[in-house]
Amino acid sequence: DIVKKLVKADVILFSTPVYFYTMNGQMKVFIDRCVQKYTKIHADIYIFVSGGDTEKSHLKLAVESIRGLTRDCFEGCEEKGCIISSGVTEMGDVSNKEVMTEAFYMGKNVFCIAGLLDRKDRTAMKAFSNLIIAHNTFQRRKLPKRSQ
């Protein structure tokens, strides 16, 4: 059961594409399933959202929706990082963005805190970069570009 794994986790990453200014349906269902044990979850929290809107501020509602759970319900959890990637409408759009550098340092921090690698090791870049790529692969359908 996924909720049991969350209770045991030291680090949790919430990652979702943003549709209509909020998290996708699968993330909402996942969050709803946490209700049964949310007071028992104690982990470092990381958030990653991406969406087609080119205005980064328009994606912040999705982050705040996730924080409704992680900040207001999870007792003893601390948000350690948040990445918002805007202008992502097709697979590969995130590849050359500064978000990849942010993800590298966020991933490196996670692995160093866990004592899993030396601070000079570049394995963390692959870990979080692959996660971001996997997240964007989840956005299977092409979204229309936002008209100005």
Side-chain angles (χ1 to χ4, degrees):
D1 181 51
I2 190 73
V3 177
K4 288 179 185 174
K5 290 181 180 183
L6 290 174
V7 170
K8 292 179 181 179
D10 294 321
V11 176
I12 301 170
L13 171 70
F14 289 87
S15 178
T16 181
V18 176
Y19 301 135
F20 299 102
Y21 307 101
T22 193
M23 68 186 86
N24 68 0
Q26 290 91 339
M27 179 61 76
K28 177 64 172 117
V29 169
F30 171 75
I31 287 174
D32 289 347
R33 291 196 61 201
C34 293
V35 168
Q36 57 183 301
K37 298 213 185 225
Y38 70 84
T39 59
K40 296 182 185 322
I41 297 171
H42 306 282
D44 291 338
I45 303 296
Y46 292 86
I47 300 170
F48 175 75
V49 300
S50 69
D53 197 314
T54 56
E55 195 62 45
K56 201 174 195 175
S57 65
H58 293 167
L59 305 179
K60 289 184 179 179
L61 180 59
V63 172
E64 289 306 312
S65 295
I66 294 168
R67 285 178 176 154
L69 172 71
T70 62
R71 180 188 55 216
D72 302 334
C73 297
F74 286 178
E75 297 174 6
C77 289
E78 184 179 347
E79 184 178 314
K80 298 288 188 168
C82 178
I83 296 177
I84 300 172
S85 181
S86 59
V88 179
T89 57
E90 298 187 34
M91 262 197 302
D93 282 355
V94 76
S95 308
N96 297 320
K97 293 186 172 223
E98 72 257 3
V99 72
M100 294 301 280
T101 303
E102 285 182 72
F104 168 75
Y105 287 108
M106 187 186 291
K108 191 170 186 175
N109 186 46
V110 169
F111 282 88
C112 289
I113 288 170
L116 297 175
L117 57 91
D118 178 282
R119 287 206 174 264
K120 295 181 181 178
D121 193 328
R122 299 191 56 84
T123 306
M125 180 176 184
K126 288 182 182 176
F128 259 68
S129 296
N130 287 341
L131 185 59
I132 289 172
I133 291 165
H135 161 82
N136 286 305
T137 302
F138 181 74
Q139 293 181 312
R140 294 195 186 278
R141 63 185 177 135
K142 292 182 181 178
L143 300 177
K145 295 196 186 280
R146 183 182 168 97
S147 58
Q148 300 299 323

